[in-house]
Amino acid sequence: MKSNNNISAVIFDMDGVLLDTETICFKAWQRYAQEAHLENWEEINRLCLGCNKTDTKLIIQKFYDGKCDADKFLLRTGELFKEIEEEEGISLMPGVIQTLDALKKAGIDILLASSTREAIVRRQLTELGLIQYFSSITAGDMVVHSKPEPDIYLKALASRNLNPENTVAVEDSPNGIRSAAGAGIRCIMVPDKIEPTDELKNLAWKICKPLPEILTYIL
C-alpha cells in the first residue's frame, strides 16, 4: 500500500533510531579508553556512528596511525558493550512501538538497514519484541562496506524489489544519511547523539524529533 505521499516502504536504521544502543557503545568506548589511556576517542566514536565493523576498524587504524591495535580495540569494546548491556539492558527509543504500529496498520512495508552484524540485530530485535515488524533485515556483515556507502540501502531495496522513489529511510547519524542519499532514497533524520549540520540539513528530506513525528510525512 502507498501512503498519501506515495510512500510504500520505510527502511529504518536500528542503533540510535529504534534502540538506544549508542549510549551503551559510548560507555563501552569510554571504559576502554580509560583502560588503554587513549585520547580523542570521542571524536572517533562520532566518526564511526553508522559504520560496520570493517569500516570502523579502518577508521581506528587511520586515526591512531598504528598506535592502537584496532582488533584489540574492537574486541575489548565489544566485551564491554555486552557487560553494560547485561548490567543495564537496552532501552527502546521514545515512540518506537507507536510508530511501527501506525506504519503496519497503514500497510507500509517496514525494513531494517543496520550496520550492526545480523546475528546481533536479530537477537536484539527479538529480545525487545520488534522483530515481527520487519519484512526484511539487511545488516552490516551482508555488505563489504556499509554506511556511508550506499550498498546497504541498495541491498535493502533489492530485497523487496522496491523503488527508491516510493521509499523513505529513517536515520540518526551522518553516515546513515549519506548512505541513504547515495542510494537515491529520501531520508528523515531523527537526531540522537549528533545534531544536524548544514550538510545533513541539505541531504535530509525532513528532520523530526521525536520518532513518531515521521508519521506526519509518511502517512
Side-chain angles (χ1 to χ4, degrees):
M1 179 184 294
K2 290 183 181 179
S3 69
N4 292 332
N5 291 316
N6 207 36
I7 296 166
S8 59
V10 178
I11 307 176
F12 284 91
D13 174 45
M14 185 179 77
D15 300 301
V17 173
L18 302 176
L19 311 186
D20 190 17
T21 46
E22 289 180 357
T23 296
I24 300 177
C25 181
F26 186 89
K27 290 179 181 179
W29 282 46
Q30 183 179 43
R31 289 188 187 181
Y32 181 65
Q34 291 171 346
E35 288 180 3
H37 306 290
L38 296 175
E39 298 180 351
N40 303 318
W41 61 272
E42 292 177 74
E43 182 179 348
I44 309 176
N45 184 264
R46 285 193 294 271
L47 291 172
C48 292
L49 288 175
C51 293
N52 65 3
K53 184 176 181 179
T54 300
D55 292 329
T56 297
K57 180 178 176 178
L58 291 173
I59 291 170
I60 293 169
Q61 288 173 330
K62 181 179 179 180
F63 192 95
Y64 282 118
D65 192 24
K67 297 176 183 177
C68 173
D69 187 315
D71 288 317
K72 182 179 180 181
F73 187 111
L74 293 174
L75 178 63
R76 182 59 182 146
T77 52
E79 292 171 346
L80 290 167
F81 185 100
K82 290 178 183 176
E83 288 178 13
I84 298 167
E85 181 182 353
E86 290 173 0
E87 292 168 5
E88 303 177 5
I90 296 176
S91 300
L92 295 179
M93 299 297 285
V96 168
I97 299 297
Q98 174 189 345
T99 303
L100 295 176
D101 278 342
L103 293 173
K104 187 175 182 179
K105 184 177 180 180
I108 302 294
D109 199 7
I110 305 173
L111 300 83
L112 192 89
S114 172
S115 293
T116 300
R117 287 176 290 150
E118 183 182 11
I120 295 174
V121 168
R122 290 188 178 277
R123 176 181 63 78
Q124 290 177 343
L125 291 179
T126 299
E127 289 176 353
L128 289 165
L130 299 183
I131 192 102
Q132 73 276 6
Y133 287 101
F134 298 96
S135 63
S136 170
I137 290 174
T138 307
D141 52 352
M142 297 167 70
V143 292
V144 176
H145 293 294
S146 188
K147 307 167 187 179
E149 299 302 320
D151 306 39
I152 196 165
Y153 273 104
L154 294 172
K155 191 174 183 67
L157 290 170
S159 73
R160 298 286 289 171
N161 196 28
L162 298 175
N163 185 333
E165 294 180 358
N166 303 125
T167 304
V168 166
V170 183
E171 281 280 357
D172 70 302
S173 72
N175 286 329
I177 294 163
R178 294 171 188 135
S179 177
I185 303 171
R186 285 175 289 177
C187 186
I188 299 177
M189 180 182 187
V190 182
D192 179 28
K193 303 300 183 189
I194 297 176
E195 291 301 313
T197 60
D198 288 340
E199 177 207 1
L200 300 179
K201 289 176 183 177
N202 289 329
L203 286 177
W205 177 47
K206 304 290 181 183
I207 298 174
C208 299
K209 193 170 183 177
L211 182 63
E213 191 179 326
I214 73 171
L215 299 172
T216 304
Y217 303 103
I218 295 173
L219 302 182

mmCIF file of all heavy atoms in Angstrom, residues 14 16-21 23-24 88-98 100 124-131 133-134 192 211:
data_model
loop_
_atom_site.group_PDB
_atom_site.id
_atom_site.type_symbol
_atom_site.label_atom_id
_atom_site.label_comp_id
_atom_site.label_asym_id
_atom_site.label_seq_id
_atom_site.Cartn_x
_atom_site.Cartn_y
_atom_site.Cartn_z
ATOM 1 N N MET A 14 18.771 0.986 12.953
ATOM 2 C CA MET A 14 18.421 0.430 14.256
ATOM 3 C C MET A 14 19.038 1.222 15.412
ATOM 4 O O MET A 14 18.328 1.733 16.279
ATOM 5 C CB MET A 14 18.872 -1.028 14.360
ATOM 6 C CG MET A 14 18.419 -1.706 15.662
ATOM 7 S SD MET A 14 18.910 -3.452 15.795
ATOM 8 C CE MET A 14 20.651 -3.279 16.225
ATOM 9 N N GLY A 16 20.263 3.945 17.659
ATOM 10 C CA GLY A 16 20.034 5.371 17.780
ATOM 11 C C GLY A 16 18.715 5.834 17.202
ATOM 12 O O GLY A 16 18.316 6.979 17.421
ATOM 13 N N VAL A 17 18.034 4.956 16.457
ATOM 14 C CA VAL A 17 16.712 5.274 15.912
ATOM 15 C C VAL A 17 15.641 4.453 16.619
ATOM 16 O O VAL A 17 14.648 4.983 17.098
ATOM 17 C CB VAL A 17 16.662 5.026 14.387
ATOM 18 C CG1 VAL A 17 15.236 5.185 13.862
ATOM 19 C CG2 VAL A 17 17.592 5.993 13.663
ATOM 20 N N LEU A 18 15.865 3.133 16.668
ATOM 21 C CA LEU A 18 14.916 2.237 17.334
ATOM 22 C C LEU A 18 15.392 1.833 18.723
ATOM 23 O O LEU A 18 14.604 1.780 19.668
ATOM 24 C CB LEU A 18 14.698 0.979 16.482
ATOM 25 C CG LEU A 18 14.172 1.204 15.062
ATOM 26 C CD1 LEU A 18 14.105 -0.125 14.312
ATOM 27 C CD2 LEU A 18 12.815 1.879 15.072
ATOM 28 N N LEU A 19 16.688 1.542 18.839
ATOM 29 C CA LEU A 19 17.259 1.095 20.109
ATOM 30 C C LEU A 19 18.295 2.101 20.607
ATOM 31 O O LEU A 19 19.072 2.647 19.818
ATOM 32 C CB LEU A 19 17.945 -0.272 19.950
ATOM 33 C CG LEU A 19 17.185 -1.398 19.260
ATOM 34 C CD1 LEU A 19 17.984 -2.681 19.350
ATOM 35 C CD2 LEU A 19 15.794 -1.574 19.828
ATOM 36 N N ASP A 20 18.323 2.300 21.909
ATOM 37 C CA ASP A 20 19.295 3.230 22.487
ATOM 38 C C ASP A 20 20.616 2.518 22.763
ATOM 39 O O ASP A 20 21.136 2.520 23.871
ATOM 40 C CB ASP A 20 18.737 3.831 23.783
ATOM 41 C CG ASP A 20 19.606 4.982 24.297
ATOM 42 O OD1 ASP A 20 20.411 5.509 23.504
ATOM 43 O OD2 ASP A 20 19.474 5.329 25.485
ATOM 44 N N THR A 21 21.160 1.921 21.718
ATOM 45 C CA THR A 21 22.423 1.192 21.834
ATOM 46 C C THR A 21 23.637 2.110 21.756
ATOM 47 O O THR A 21 24.717 1.762 22.231
ATOM 48 C CB THR A 21 22.531 0.135 20.727
ATOM 49 O OG1 THR A 21 22.151 0.746 19.488
ATOM 50 C CG2 THR A 21 21.611 -1.043 20.990
ATOM 51 N N THR A 23 24.166 4.798 23.304
ATOM 52 C CA THR A 23 24.560 5.196 24.655
ATOM 53 C C THR A 23 25.462 4.136 25.274
ATOM 54 O O THR A 23 26.473 4.451 25.915
ATOM 55 C CB THR A 23 23.311 5.395 25.530
ATOM 56 O OG1 THR A 23 22.542 6.478 25.001
ATOM 57 C CG2 THR A 23 23.695 5.710 26.972
ATOM 58 N N ILE A 24 25.114 2.860 25.061
ATOM 59 C CA ILE A 24 25.930 1.768 25.592
ATOM 60 C C ILE A 24 27.282 1.732 24.891
ATOM 61 O O ILE A 24 28.320 1.541 25.528
ATOM 62 C CB ILE A 24 25.204 0.412 25.430
ATOM 63 C CG1 ILE A 24 23.868 0.437 26.184
ATOM 64 C CG2 ILE A 24 26.081 -0.735 25.938
ATOM 65 C CD1 ILE A 24 23.048 -0.834 26.011
ATOM 66 N N GLU A 88 22.597 -3.127 32.374
ATOM 67 C CA GLU A 88 21.586 -2.074 32.260
ATOM 68 C C GLU A 88 20.438 -2.404 31.313
ATOM 69 O O GLU A 88 19.376 -1.781 31.392
ATOM 70 C CB GLU A 88 22.262 -0.776 31.792
ATOM 71 C CG GLU A 88 23.396 -0.319 32.706
ATOM 72 C CD GLU A 88 24.084 0.927 32.182
ATOM 73 O OE1 GLU A 88 23.625 1.495 31.162
ATOM 74 O OE2 GLU A 88 25.090 1.352 32.801
ATOM 75 N N GLY A 89 20.653 -3.367 30.421
ATOM 76 C CA GLY A 89 19.647 -3.645 29.401
ATOM 77 C C GLY A 89 19.670 -2.581 28.310
ATOM 78 O O GLY A 89 20.351 -1.563 28.422
ATOM 79 N N ILE A 90 18.917 -2.834 27.241
ATOM 80 C CA ILE A 90 18.808 -1.883 26.139
ATOM 81 C C ILE A 90 17.404 -1.297 26.153
ATOM 82 O O ILE A 90 16.412 -2.021 26.238
ATOM 83 C CB ILE A 90 19.070 -2.562 24.780
ATOM 84 C CG1 ILE A 90 20.513 -3.075 24.704
ATOM 85 C CG2 ILE A 90 18.817 -1.583 23.633
ATOM 86 C CD1 ILE A 90 20.822 -3.840 23.440
ATOM 87 N N SER A 91 17.321 0.002 26.046
ATOM 88 C CA SER A 91 16.030 0.686 26.025
ATOM 89 C C SER A 91 15.611 0.981 24.591
ATOM 90 O O SER A 91 16.448 1.191 23.705
ATOM 91 C CB SER A 91 16.113 2.011 26.794
ATOM 92 O OG SER A 91 16.475 1.791 28.133
ATOM 93 N N LEU A 92 14.299 1.004 24.369
ATOM 94 C CA LEU A 92 13.777 1.476 23.091
ATOM 95 C C LEU A 92 13.840 3.001 23.073
ATOM 96 O O LEU A 92 13.692 3.656 24.104
ATOM 97 C CB LEU A 92 12.321 1.041 22.909
ATOM 98 C CG LEU A 92 12.037 -0.454 22.789
ATOM 99 C CD1 LEU A 92 10.542 -0.680 22.630
ATOM 100 C CD2 LEU A 92 12.784 -1.062 21.610
ATOM 101 N N MET A 93 14.057 3.550 21.909
ATOM 102 C CA MET A 93 13.971 4.994 21.764
ATOM 103 C C MET A 93 12.504 5.412 21.923
ATOM 104 O O MET A 93 11.589 4.620 21.665
ATOM 105 C CB MET A 93 14.511 5.433 20.403
ATOM 106 C CG MET A 93 15.981 5.071 20.183
ATOM 107 S SD MET A 93 17.127 5.870 21.339
ATOM 108 C CE MET A 93 17.150 7.544 20.691
ATOM 109 N N PRO A 94 12.238 6.635 22.345
ATOM 110 C CA PRO A 94 10.861 7.072 22.573
ATOM 111 C C PRO A 94 9.985 6.960 21.329
ATOM 112 O O PRO A 94 10.389 7.377 20.239
ATOM 113 C CB PRO A 94 11.029 8.547 22.985
ATOM 114 C CG PRO A 94 12.411 8.630 23.543
ATOM 115 C CD PRO A 94 13.226 7.670 22.724
ATOM 116 N N GLY A 95 8.802 6.366 21.493
ATOM 117 C CA GLY A 95 7.812 6.320 20.420
ATOM 118 C C GLY A 95 7.981 5.224 19.394
ATOM 119 O O GLY A 95 7.282 5.224 18.365
ATOM 120 N N VAL A 96 8.872 4.261 19.635
ATOM 121 C CA VAL A 96 9.146 3.218 18.647
ATOM 122 C C VAL A 96 7.908 2.365 18.361
ATOM 123 O O VAL A 96 7.516 2.174 17.203
ATOM 124 C CB VAL A 96 10.326 2.329 19.094
ATOM 125 C CG1 VAL A 96 10.420 1.077 18.216
ATOM 126 C CG2 VAL A 96 11.626 3.105 19.020
ATOM 127 N N ILE A 97 7.292 1.827 19.391
ATOM 128 C CA ILE A 97 6.133 0.946 19.191
ATOM 129 C C ILE A 97 4.993 1.705 18.525
ATOM 130 O O ILE A 97 4.344 1.202 17.590
ATOM 131 C CB ILE A 97 5.670 0.342 20.535
ATOM 132 C CG1 ILE A 97 6.783 -0.509 21.163
ATOM 133 C CG2 ILE A 97 4.408 -0.496 20.332
ATOM 134 C CD1 ILE A 97 7.191 -1.707 20.354
ATOM 135 N N GLN A 98 4.729 2.898 18.975
ATOM 136 C CA GLN A 98 3.681 3.738 18.393
ATOM 137 C C GLN A 98 3.914 3.929 16.891
ATOM 138 O O GLN A 98 2.982 3.819 16.079
ATOM 139 C CB GLN A 98 3.674 5.104 19.087
ATOM 140 C CG GLN A 98 2.720 6.123 18.484
ATOM 141 C CD GLN A 98 2.913 7.513 19.079
ATOM 142 O OE1 GLN A 98 3.557 7.671 20.122
ATOM 143 N NE2 GLN A 98 2.385 8.524 18.435
ATOM 144 N N LEU A 100 5.921 2.108 14.747
ATOM 145 C CA LEU A 100 5.859 0.867 13.978
ATOM 146 C C LEU A 100 4.427 0.360 13.850
ATOM 147 O O LEU A 100 4.020 -0.127 12.787
ATOM 148 C CB LEU A 100 6.751 -0.196 14.623
ATOM 149 C CG LEU A 100 8.261 0.106 14.620
ATOM 150 C CD1 LEU A 100 9.018 -0.985 15.366
ATOM 151 C CD2 LEU A 100 8.797 0.251 13.201
ATOM 152 N N GLN A 124 18.820 -8.740 19.283
ATOM 153 C CA GLN A 124 18.323 -7.567 19.997
ATOM 154 C C GLN A 124 16.875 -7.251 19.634
ATOM 155 O O GLN A 124 16.053 -6.947 20.511
ATOM 156 C CB GLN A 124 19.227 -6.367 19.716
ATOM 157 C CG GLN A 124 20.601 -6.508 20.361
ATOM 158 C CD GLN A 124 21.538 -5.363 20.037
ATOM 159 O OE1 GLN A 124 21.322 -4.589 19.094
ATOM 160 N NE2 GLN A 124 22.610 -5.233 20.801
ATOM 161 N N LEU A 125 16.541 -7.347 18.363
ATOM 162 C CA LEU A 125 15.162 -7.076 17.951
ATOM 163 C C LEU A 125 14.198 -8.107 18.525
ATOM 164 O O LEU A 125 13.068 -7.778 18.902
ATOM 165 C CB LEU A 125 15.052 -7.054 16.424
ATOM 166 C CG LEU A 125 15.719 -5.882 15.708
ATOM 167 C CD1 LEU A 125 15.541 -6.026 14.203
ATOM 168 C CD2 LEU A 125 15.155 -4.544 16.171
ATOM 169 N N THR A 126 14.653 -9.352 18.597
ATOM 170 C CA THR A 126 13.806 -10.414 19.154
ATOM 171 C C THR A 126 13.594 -10.193 20.651
ATOM 172 O O THR A 126 12.464 -10.263 21.149
ATOM 173 C CB THR A 126 14.443 -11.790 18.909
ATOM 174 O OG1 THR A 126 14.565 -12.004 17.486
ATOM 175 C CG2 THR A 126 13.590 -12.897 19.500
ATOM 176 N N GLU A 127 14.678 -9.908 21.355
ATOM 177 C CA GLU A 127 14.580 -9.714 22.806
ATOM 178 C C GLU A 127 13.699 -8.520 23.171
ATOM 179 O O GLU A 127 13.030 -8.529 24.206
ATOM 180 C CB GLU A 127 15.984 -9.536 23.395
ATOM 181 C CG GLU A 127 16.806 -10.825 23.388
ATOM 182 C CD GLU A 127 18.227 -10.622 23.890
ATOM 183 O OE1 GLU A 127 18.620 -9.451 24.122
ATOM 184 O OE2 GLU A 127 18.955 -11.625 24.032
ATOM 185 N N LEU A 128 13.667 -7.515 22.295
ATOM 186 C CA LEU A 128 12.885 -6.312 22.582
ATOM 187 C C LEU A 128 11.510 -6.336 21.912
ATOM 188 O O LEU A 128 10.778 -5.340 21.947
ATOM 189 C CB LEU A 128 13.672 -5.078 22.158
ATOM 190 C CG LEU A 128 14.876 -4.798 23.064
ATOM 191 C CD1 LEU A 128 15.831 -3.817 22.409
ATOM 192 C CD2 LEU A 128 14.426 -4.255 24.410
ATOM 193 N N GLY A 129 11.176 -7.464 21.292
ATOM 194 C CA GLY A 129 9.836 -7.643 20.746
ATOM 195 C C GLY A 129 9.544 -6.861 19.482
ATOM 196 O O GLY A 129 8.387 -6.524 19.205
ATOM 197 N N LEU A 130 10.560 -6.602 18.673
ATOM 198 C CA LEU A 130 10.365 -5.806 17.463
ATOM 199 C C LEU A 130 10.509 -6.596 16.167
ATOM 200 O O LEU A 130 10.110 -6.111 15.105
ATOM 201 C CB LEU A 130 11.371 -4.645 17.429
ATOM 202 C CG LEU A 130 11.331 -3.617 18.554
ATOM 203 C CD1 LEU A 130 12.356 -2.522 18.287
ATOM 204 C CD2 LEU A 130 9.952 -3.015 18.717
ATOM 205 N N ILE A 131 11.068 -7.773 16.220
ATOM 206 C CA ILE A 131 11.460 -8.480 15.000
ATOM 207 C C ILE A 131 10.297 -8.718 14.044
ATOM 208 O O ILE A 131 10.449 -8.709 12.826
ATOM 209 C CB ILE A 131 12.162 -9.823 15.350
ATOM 210 C CG1 ILE A 131 12.831 -10.416 14.108
ATOM 211 C CG2 ILE A 131 11.203 -10.819 15.954
ATOM 212 C CD1 ILE A 131 14.280 -10.229 14.044
ATOM 213 N N TYR A 133 7.950 -6.884 13.113
ATOM 214 C CA TYR A 133 7.537 -5.747 12.290
ATOM 215 C C TYR A 133 8.230 -5.718 10.932
ATOM 216 O O TYR A 133 7.742 -5.074 10.000
ATOM 217 C CB TYR A 133 7.843 -4.437 13.018
ATOM 218 C CG TYR A 133 6.942 -4.126 14.178
ATOM 219 C CD1 TYR A 133 7.366 -4.365 15.495
ATOM 220 C CD2 TYR A 133 5.670 -3.589 13.992
ATOM 221 C CE1 TYR A 133 6.549 -4.063 16.584
ATOM 222 C CE2 TYR A 133 4.851 -3.288 15.067
ATOM 223 C CZ TYR A 133 5.286 -3.529 16.356
ATOM 224 O OH TYR A 133 4.476 -3.235 17.432
ATOM 225 N N PHE A 134 9.385 -6.393 10.804
ATOM 226 C CA PHE A 134 10.247 -6.188 9.645
ATOM 227 C C PHE A 134 10.110 -7.293 8.608
ATOM 228 O O PHE A 134 10.253 -8.475 8.910
ATOM 229 C CB PHE A 134 11.702 -6.068 10.102
ATOM 230 C CG PHE A 134 11.909 -4.891 11.015
ATOM 231 C CD1 PHE A 134 11.889 -5.047 12.398
ATOM 232 C CD2 PHE A 134 12.083 -3.628 10.495
ATOM 233 C CE1 PHE A 134 12.050 -3.967 13.245
ATOM 234 C CE2 PHE A 134 12.247 -2.531 11.328
ATOM 235 C CZ PHE A 134 12.220 -2.697 12.697
ATOM 236 N N ASP A 192 19.942 11.968 17.332
ATOM 237 C CA ASP A 192 20.171 11.338 18.635
ATOM 238 C C ASP A 192 21.417 11.960 19.254
ATOM 239 O O ASP A 192 21.342 12.946 19.966
ATOM 240 C CB ASP A 192 20.316 9.820 18.476
ATOM 241 C CG ASP A 192 20.575 9.119 19.804
ATOM 242 O OD1 ASP A 192 20.132 9.644 20.850
ATOM 243 O OD2 ASP A 192 21.226 8.059 19.810
ATOM 244 N N LEU A 211 10.587 10.390 17.309
ATOM 245 C CA LEU A 211 10.371 9.494 16.181
ATOM 246 C C LEU A 211 8.957 9.538 15.604
ATOM 247 O O LEU A 211 8.805 9.567 14.371
ATOM 248 C CB LEU A 211 10.751 8.063 16.585
ATOM 249 C CG LEU A 211 10.622 6.989 15.500
ATOM 250 C CD1 LEU A 211 11.569 7.285 14.335
ATOM 251 C CD2 LEU A 211 10.919 5.607 16.081
#
